[in-house]
Amino acid sequence: RPRAPRAMAGGGSPAAWRVGDCRVTRLIEHESVGGSKFILPGVTREVAQSIPWLAPDFADEKGRLKMAIQMMVVDTPQGHRIAVDTCVGNDKKRELEAWHMRSGPFLDDLAAVGIDPASVTHVLCTHLHTDHIGWNTRLVEGRWVPTFPKARYLFAKKEYEYWAAGGLAGTGTADTESLQDSVQPIVDAGLADLVEMDHVLVDGGAAARVYLRPTPGHSPGHVSLVIDSRGERALITGDCVHHPVQMARLDLGSSADTDAAEAVRTREALLGDLAGTGALLFGTHFARPTC
């Protein structure tokens, strides 16, 4: 069973955890029960019910999966504030009804925990699917402007180049509109950094080292974020693991995977490396308690 520690803030939204001298804060934009067949087609209710430990945190008694769309914010002792995966966003035209033209209180939620968008030093998008880039920008007087105006936005170079060249998701679809409203304005503003998939964001020795781990398969340049501090480790997954069901069934992939076989190999390697270590695994789409 995946480890599910008690959240510092009581398990609600938001919540926060300590990883050595670092702090990880979770902000939930959207939660759902059921309706996940479009993204995890192999996870039937019968499959979910056959894994008893999924309930009640990650599935209900009927075998419907519980999932979330959420952003993690990592604060380091050196003063870095890293926002990881910026959810769906507001005012954006999207195919999925639940994501289309949202008007949620996400920025108010940030303010409620004392996170000023101007205080964010880095934004990391683990990959460039629409539900991980939305709050990169916000609509102001008819223009898409950076939500985090003082941050450097980090995109894996391989990931950016794939989608910029018209790459397709595993479903055979392109994501042109979301790139235009959530990525291109960042590039145009001069805030984008195209980095290697093993890029080091923070190299502060024992106090904090924060870096990327390549986790391809869901998309060609997919990365996860690793936090090492004072002998403790945490990893923020992105979509290399969509749901804890994939810990029990590594073979159950996402319909959006660009390379399903590589995605399985990535899960095998990642979970094999973390098993038995005491590391915290923060699932970008894991329902509460998130890790």
Side-chain angles (χ1 to χ4, degrees):
R1 173 173 183 156
R3 188 177 172 205
R6 188 175 298 276
M8 288 169 55
S13 173
W17 295 259
R18 301 297 308 190
V19 180
D21 290 343
C22 295
R23 178 182 175 94
V24 180
T25 303
R26 176 199 69 203
L27 280 301
I28 294 176
E29 182 189 52
H30 177 74
E31 297 178 285
S32 62
V33 180
S36 57
K37 195 74 179 291
F38 80 98
I39 195 67
L40 294 171
V43 186
T44 63
R45 294 190 183 191
E46 291 75 21
V47 167
Q49 288 176 317
S50 73
I51 305 169
W53 55 260
L54 288 178
D57 290 330
F58 305 117
D60 68 7
E61 70 282 355
K62 297 179 181 179
R64 298 180 301 176
L65 299 187
K66 298 181 180 181
M67 299 186 76
I69 295 175
Q70 54 202 336
M71 183 173 78
M72 308 295 176
V73 179
V74 180
D75 286 297
T76 75
Q78 295 93 344
H80 306 87
R81 174 164 279 174
I82 306 162
V84 183
D85 286 340
T86 62
C87 305
V88 173
N90 280 358
D91 304 307
K92 298 189 171 180
K93 297 177 181 179
R94 299 293 183 253
E95 290 188 14
L96 285 179
E97 182 179 355
W99 297 359
H100 180 65
M101 298 300 288
R102 288 180 56 85
S103 57
F106 193 73
L107 293 181
D108 292 337
D109 293 341
L110 278 178
V113 293
I115 297 177
D116 181 346
S119 71
V120 173
T121 61
H122 299 80
V123 175
L124 170 70
C125 297
T126 61
H127 61 300
L128 297 183
H129 286 168
T130 188
D131 53 324
H132 296 257
I133 61 177
W135 278 108
N136 284 359
T137 61
R138 58 191 180 94
L139 192 62
V140 177
E141 298 180 350
R143 294 178 56 249
W144 296 111
V145 301
T147 302
F148 307 98
K150 297 183 179 179
R152 301 304 303 178
Y153 286 70
L154 307 185
F155 310 133
K157 183 174 184 287
K158 184 175 183 178
E159 181 78 359
Y160 176 82
E161 291 177 345
Y162 178 78
W163 296 109
L168 301 179
T171 54
T173 57
D175 216 356
T176 305
E177 189 162 29
S178 62
L179 294 177
Q180 287 301 313
D181 61 36
S182 298
V183 175
Q184 192 59 45
I186 302 304
V187 175
D188 293 343
L191 297 179
D193 290 334
L194 303 184
V195 300
E196 297 303 318
M197 293 172 66
D198 59 355
H199 178 72
V200 178
L201 286 76
V202 180
D203 194 0
R209 189 169 189 267
V210 182
Y211 55 97
L212 304 184
R213 172 174 174 146
T215 46
H218 183 61
S219 64
H222 191 288
V223 295
S224 301
L225 186 75
V226 184
I227 306 160
D228 285 336
S229 179
R230 302 299 180 193
E232 298 183 11
R233 171 169 291 182
L235 182 139
I236 300 173
T237 60
D239 282 0
C240 62
V241 185
H242 266 89
H243 189 277
V245 69
Q246 294 172 293
M247 297 178 178
R249 290 284 306 274
L250 297 174
D251 59 306
L252 293 174
S254 163
S255 59
D257 291 344
T258 56
D259 187 330
E262 185 174 45
V264 172
R265 292 193 296 271
T266 286
R267 282 192 291 278
E268 289 175 340
L270 176 67
L271 297 175
D273 288 348
L274 295 180
T277 66
L280 292 180
L281 183 72
F282 289 96
T284 302
H285 288 303
F286 287 13
R288 311 181 199 199
T290 299
C291 68

